[in-house]
Amino acid sequence: MTRKLYLRAIVPIGLFFSLSLICGNQTFLYLGVAFIQMLKATTPVAVLLVGWGMNVETPSVRVLANVTVIVLGVIVASYGEIAFNLTGFLFQAAGIIFEAFRLILVQRLLWSAEFKMDPLVSLYYFAPVCALMNFLIFLVFEASKLGMSEILKLGLLTLLANGALAFVLNISVVFLIGRTSSLVLTLCGVLKDILLVGTSVFIWGSTVSLTQLFGYSLALGGLVLYRLGADKIREQYQRIRNDGSNAWEEFSTKHPTRRKVSIGGAAALILIMALGVMFGSGKTEIQSVPLEGGESSEVVYVPQNPNMVGQSGPFPVARLDLKYQPPRKLDIIVSIYKEHPTAVGQALEAIKRLPGFGDLNPNTIVYFKDPSADQRIVHDETKANAVRKLSTRGGNNAAWLTHIIDMWNELAEHTLFLDGSFQNLEKMAERIYDYYGPETGVLSLAPSLSRCACHQCKDPFGTEESWYRVPEIFASFNGDFCPAGDVLLSQSGQFIVSAKRIRGTPKHVYESMRDLLTSDDDHWIHSDKKLGYFTDDLDDPFFGRAFEKSWMIAFQCGDPRLAESCPILGERRQPQYPLDRCQCLDRNPADPKGPKPARIARRHVRKV
């Protein structure tokens, strides 16, 4: 291959391949998955138009109509909550255009009489160009942020396996383009999505809405129409209709009684299925749970997937992972910065002696963020089971998220998250003693709870700051739009939460939140308007203030009525108060009033 031919035919493929990967990955920093999927659904149209523009494909109104039907079907199926961001939209649009050019150039390389290259040979030529482009961009933008520790943490085997799969994928792509076309490749992606949805429904019991079912049916219909053509489909339909009609007439003549039974049975089956859809399966139990002031709310327990159950009300169903088997009963997690390790160790010993904790043999983990602190000294003086050093970025919220992410498959049945300052320790001990139990889903240990309008949330704890990201936090963790009214906020981010409730939300949601909390100062998350009550730096981001107050929302316990029913920290639980007065439970409590209240807890907690 000559140098001129290499620069004209190979280098552009590597360039467009690299740009499509970069733009596609950048999009996830700005847009939600649903909207990205909607935009990606337009790739077949982009490929078709680019192919026509470069004279690789022959223009055809019929093909354009078929592809448009498929795209519309995928858009309908992917329709959901969309948080529009112009930067993300432009990144995704550019990525789609670059990908379309790449696929058409690969097709021309494999098809054109000028090149007529073997698929493996073509991959041999343009893969190094793409690798070089990505490496150069990595050196400029990412090399300074990535250390060997992150690579080792991920695992070399994981990286090698990922690379091997990508290599096999690239081989299959060039072979498919060589045998068919780049348009067929993009349409296969639509078929892949349909198969994934079908598999998840029939094997894992995933829920598919009627809108999604309609959209994917539309896409599948367009795919069949593209593959067979209208004439072929019409011919096959007429043939099946005639054969079926003849067979039914013959059956009716020979077996009139069976014909009537068949019709009656089919009608009964349709009626049963219709009633099942209308009224659901299983029994719905409704219980009136008293709140403060005599108010009652209906908590409806709806039959769910065997591995995921939840309770509904004015908010989306709380998803609980019942399949997970925790290795321990309780973890106590503390995040410290400049606090003295000896004082932290004394506080941990006092907490471990709380009634109800001693028999659980709690595991203690300390995350420290003081760059000058020695890990061995922190471990010896705190006497924690484990000590881990973290970056100062993101504050306590980043530490909590790091624990959840890194311990995803090792989470205890319940985890207690505490700030190393241990303010209000005695009062928190009373709250734990009064309310904590096996059914605890999430119990806030903040000084107080309050409420704010979800769509226009202003800080209810003494400032006039607006928490602009509360709607997005709610949507990310609850999978639904903000309610029309208020949501629950906590004054601080200290709480005890179950592994069932943590794992009810996909792991990647926690990872996304940690990425935002630890992002660079030029990230868009730092552009929110501020009134000056709080700083916005890497160690204490403004977004972290909003997230700190949204942990109850994150654990799907955002009902604002808890702000009225739950007293301030330090007020004891009385016998007439139910256990869910200050918390969300993971299941329907057998006794709404709960066990008898604790008499006193102060004597069990030593002041630190």
Side-chain angles (χ1 to χ4, degrees), residues 292 427 430-431 434-435 565-574 577 581-582 602:
E292 188 178 40
K427 295 178 180 179
E430 292 174 349
R431 179 61 53 90
D434 285 351
Y435 289 95
S565 65
C566 186
I568 62 172
L569 198 67
E571 183 176 327
R572 303 304 301 273
R573 173 175 172 264
Q574 300 301 316
Y577 294 150
R581 186 176 185 239
C582 284
R602 291 183 186 274

Side-chain angles (χ1 to χ4, degrees), residues 159-196:
L159 286 175
L160 291 174
N162 199 334
L165 288 174
F167 176 71
V168 174
L169 175 63
N170 285 328
I171 291 178
S172 63
V173 165
V174 293
F175 268 102
L176 181 60
I177 295 176
R179 294 293 182 89
T180 57
S181 71
S182 55
L183 179 60
V184 172
L185 172 66
T186 58
L187 294 177
C188 285
V190 177
L191 180 60
K192 175 202 68 176
D193 291 338
I194 295 172
L195 292 175
L196 284 175

